[in-house]
């Protein structure tokens, strides 16, 4: 191996390890947002972000282990995550159209917070 190839391999390993650390931090923050809420749409967006972070984890581990089949798994997870987000959005929409009191209260609370500048 040439010195450039050695440098490139070590640089790639360091970059993957840094990305895994950043993904871990973002995973923790997103889990906190999922638990904390405050409304159902916030939780749906947080769950969608968890899917995106999961895709990042799978891709980074695929690069780190040089087993590139993980990239195909990450693409599949992205498609499934998209379908899950669409299903959640339909669920929230149907609850709102049915006049569900919890959804209506969340919408009113969100409007009040927006008007208050929060």
């Amino acid at each position: 191996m040439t010195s450039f190839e050695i440098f490139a391999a070590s640089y790639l390993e360091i970059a993957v390890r840094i990305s895994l650390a950043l993904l871990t931090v973002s995973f923790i923050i997103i889990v906190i947002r999922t638990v904390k809420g405050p409304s159902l749409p916030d939780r749906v967006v947080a769950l969608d972000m968890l899917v995106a972070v999961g895709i990042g984890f799978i891709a980074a581990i695929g690069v780190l282990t040089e087993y590139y089949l993980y990239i195909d798994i990450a693409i599949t997870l992205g498609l499934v995550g998209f379908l899950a987000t669409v299903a959640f959005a339909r669920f929230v929409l149907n609850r709102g159209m049915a006049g569900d009191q919890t959804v209506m209260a969340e919408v009113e609370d969100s409007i009040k917070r927006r008007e208050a500048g929060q």
Side-chain angles (χ1 to χ4, degrees), residues 86-102:
V86 169
F88 275 132
R90 291 283 302 206
F91 173 71
V92 171
L93 178 68
N94 288 339
R95 278 183 60 190
M97 292 177 119
D100 189 351
Q101 293 304 318
T102 57

Side-chain angles (χ1 to χ4, degrees), residues 26-100:
S26 65
F27 181 82
I28 292 168
I29 292 170
I30 293 168
V31 167
I32 291 169
R33 173 49 68 192
T34 304
V35 172
K36 188 176 176 184
S39 67
L40 182 62
D42 291 329
R43 289 184 173 100
V44 171
V45 170
L47 289 173
D48 192 35
M49 284 305 302
L50 279 178
V51 171
V53 169
I55 291 168
F57 270 119
I58 292 170
I61 290 175
V63 170
L64 186 65
T65 61
E66 296 181 6
Y67 190 63
Y68 295 107
L69 184 63
Y70 285 138
I71 305 300
D72 295 336
I73 296 168
I75 291 170
T76 305
L77 179 62
L79 293 172
V80 171
F82 170 74
L83 292 176
T85 302
V86 169
F88 275 132
R90 291 283 302 206
F91 173 71
V92 171
L93 178 68
N94 288 339
R95 278 183 60 190
M97 292 177 119
D100 189 351

